[in-house]
């Protein structure tokens, strides 16, 4: 069996409707997380400092930023408010 590169594997996988749908479903989540991480870093705030500010543990914030959790809207609002951002859902 010939080994495939990740790019080849991804290209072939995205042809499958189930894989494409799953990727589309999580894309918005990762865009939100990425925007929050960028805002935190731009402001020079550590995970620990932000966690303390919003009353959560650093590990809970780390799980959120890594995409390993299933955060509530309330949690996302806490994080954005702690960064001085306004969350708008459309």
């Amino acid at each position: 069996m010939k080994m495939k590169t990740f790019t080849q594997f991804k290209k072939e996988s995205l042809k499958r409707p189930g894989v494409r749908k799953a990727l589309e479903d999580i894309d918005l989540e990762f865009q939100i997380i990425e925007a929050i991480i960028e805002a935190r870093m731009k402001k020079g705030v550590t995970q620990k400092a932000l966690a303390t500010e919003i009353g959560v543990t650093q590990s809970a914030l780390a799980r959120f930023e890594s995409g390993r959790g299933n955060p509530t809207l309330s949690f996302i609002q806490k994080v954005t408010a702690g960064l001085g951002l306004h969350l708008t859902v459309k």
Side-chain angles (χ1 to χ4, degrees):
M1 176 187 235
K2 184 179 174 189
M3 295 291 289
K4 296 180 185 178
T5 66
F6 176 73
T7 303
Q8 291 168 326
F9 173 77
K10 182 178 175 184
K11 185 177 179 180
E12 289 176 17
S13 295
L14 288 175
K15 291 178 184 176
R16 297 173 44 205
V19 172
R20 182 176 294 280
K21 170 95 171 78
L23 186 60
E24 289 169 357
D25 288 349
I26 64 169
D27 187 51
L28 177 60
E29 179 181 338
F30 284 114
Q31 286 178 27
I32 292 168
I33 292 169
E34 183 177 29
I36 289 172
I37 293 169
E38 286 178 12
R40 181 180 61 75
M41 294 177 76
K42 185 176 181 180
K43 291 177 181 273
V45 178
T46 64
Q47 282 184 344
K48 178 73 175 162
L50 179 57
T52 300
E53 171 75 22
I54 64 175
V56 301
T57 63
Q58 183 273 329
S59 60
L61 186 57
R63 278 191 304 276
F64 165 71
E65 287 190 359
S66 69
R68 291 189 323 250
N70 189 13
T72 62
L73 183 56
S74 175
F75 185 86
I76 296 170
Q77 286 176 312
K78 274 186 184 181
V79 174
T80 55
L83 291 169
L85 303 173
H86 179 74
L87 178 65
T88 303
V89 180
K90 293 182 180 184

